[in-house]
Amino acid sequence: GYHSYAIGDIDVTAIYDGIWEKSHDDGFIRNATVDDARAALEEGGHSTDFIPIEFTQTVIRSGDEVILIDAGTGGQLSPKAGAMMDNMKAAGIDPASVNKILVSHFHPDHVFGLMEKETNAQIFPDVEIIVPETEYAFWSDPATLEKMPDSAKPLVQRLQATLAKWDNVTRVDGEREVAPGISMLPAYGHTPGHTAYLVGSGSDELIVMGDISNIPALFVANPGWHAVFDMNPELAEQNRRAMFDRAVADGATVAGYHFGFPNAGKIEKDGDGYAFVPLS
C-alpha cells in the first residue's frame, strides 16, 4: 500500500488508494477501438477483462513539511478504492501531520478525499489546500453549471458547495513555488487548469504529473490516444508529449496518478511513443 523513495534530500512516498475496474466501452478512447485497447493492455502485461484505473497519491516530506499531492477518492467512486488514509498510517505518516495539500485538478478521484460523503464536511479543515487558479475559476464559475452535461452537473454543484467556499483554499497560478523545492507546472488540457508539480532537490527532479496521462500501457505507449476524461484532447496530447519529452531530456523521475503501483519511475522514448519504467 505504500512505496518510499528519495529525490535528493526529499523523502517521497507513493500511497495507494485502490482501483476502479472499469468496463470496456467504445467511448473510453475517442480515437481507438476496444480491440485496440485490449491489445495494448495485453502487450503491457494487464488483464484484458477491464480497464485497470488505479489511484495513487504522493506524499512529500521535506524538513518540517508534510505535503500531500491530491487527496484520493475518499472511498466514494469504487468499491475497491478508498485506502489512502489506512495506507498513509501503514507508511508511518499520520494524516493529521499533513500541513499542506496540493491539488492537480478537480476531478472526483483527486478531491473527493477532501470531503465527507454525506455531509461534504472537510476532512482536512485546518490544512492549507493549494489549487490552480485557472482550475478554480472554471469550476467555481456559475456559468460552468449550465455548460456541463446533466451527468456532470452534480460534480459541479458539489465543487461549488465545497472547494469554492472553503476559506483554507489558496489559489495560485503559473510556475510558482508553493512549498520549498516544489513548484507548479501548468499542463492544461485534461481539465482547463490541470497542473503538475515539479519537486527538486540538488540535481534530482520528480514531476508529479497528475493526469497528464492515464494508464501507461494505453496512453504512454500511445500518446496520441485521447481519453474521454480529457476535456480538451488536442491540448492534453500536446502537453502530454511535451512533458514526456521534458522528463526524458532531464532524466527526471515521474509519478503518474493512474500509473499503477508504485506509480513512480522513468519515461523513455519508444518508437513513436514512450515507455514507463517503474521504480524497482
Side-chain angles (χ1 to χ4, degrees):
Y2 66 91
H3 181 81
S4 297
Y5 56 100
I7 297 296
D9 295 329
I10 295 176
D11 293 325
V12 184
T13 305
I15 303 292
Y16 191 64
D17 188 66
I19 187 171
W20 172 26
E21 296 177 346
K22 184 189 178 305
S23 300
H24 288 280
D25 68 78
D26 290 329
F28 176 60
I29 306 173
R30 290 183 170 101
N31 52 350
T33 67
V34 169
D35 286 342
D36 292 334
R38 289 182 188 275
L41 286 171
E42 184 173 21
E43 185 167 342
H46 296 281
S47 167
T48 62
D49 294 340
F50 53 83
I51 303 288
I53 300 180
E54 298 180 85
F55 315 103
T56 306
Q57 294 74 56
T58 299
V59 175
I60 309 290
R61 286 180 283 187
S62 179
D64 295 331
E65 297 258 36
V66 179
I67 299 165
L68 173 64
I69 303 182
D70 285 327
T73 66
Q76 299 170 46
L77 294 177
S78 164
K80 294 187 176 182
M84 181 187 79
M85 291 292 204
D86 287 342
N87 285 334
M88 285 179 70
K89 293 172 185 175
I93 303 169
D94 181 356
S97 71
V98 172
N99 49 28
K100 191 170 287 184
I101 297 172
L102 311 180
V103 174
S104 65
H105 64 294
F106 284 14
H107 276 167
D109 51 322
H110 296 255
V111 299
F112 276 9
L114 297 171
M115 56 196 74
E116 296 284 357
K117 181 177 181 179
E118 301 297 336
T119 67
N120 282 346
Q122 288 208 59
I123 293 172
F124 297 93
D126 301 318
V127 176
E128 181 184 21
I129 301 170
I130 294 179
V131 304
E133 169 64 40
T134 304
E135 186 76 355
Y136 180 97
F138 173 80
W139 293 102
S140 62
D141 185 347
T144 297
L145 183 62
E146 302 306 316
K147 296 175 185 175
M148 298 294 270
D150 288 345
S151 60
K153 289 186 188 299
L155 169 62
V156 178
Q157 291 170 326
R158 190 176 192 192
L159 293 173
Q160 292 184 353
T162 53
L163 281 160
K165 293 186 176 180
W166 292 346
D167 59 10
N168 57 328
V169 173
T170 301
R171 293 136 61 183
V172 180
D173 232 358
E175 296 188 18
R176 293 266 304 279
E177 187 174 70
V178 292
I182 305 178
S183 298
M184 286 182 137
L185 197 58
Y188 303 161
H190 178 63
T191 62
H194 178 269
T195 295
Y197 289 92
L198 179 65
V199 181
S201 177
S203 61
D204 291 347
E205 284 187 348
L206 168 69
I207 304 174
V208 185
M209 298 192 299
D211 283 10
I212 199 73
S213 166
N214 209 290
I215 306 158
L218 301 181
F219 301 100
V220 176
N222 303 281
W225 285 3
H226 296 165
V228 67
F229 305 126
D230 291 338
M231 296 175 71
N232 183 333
E234 290 77 19
L235 182 59
E237 178 186 345
Q238 176 185 324
N239 280 321
R240 176 163 51 251
R241 291 180 183 274
M243 189 168 289
F244 288 168
D245 286 341
R246 175 176 180 162
V248 172
D250 294 351
T253 301
V254 301
Y257 197 78
H258 300 294
F259 277 22
F261 194 78
N263 71 326
K266 300 287 188 178
I267 296 289
E268 297 179 352
K269 201 76 179 74
D270 184 20
D272 293 333
Y274 301 84
F276 172 64
V277 182
L279 295 177
S280 59

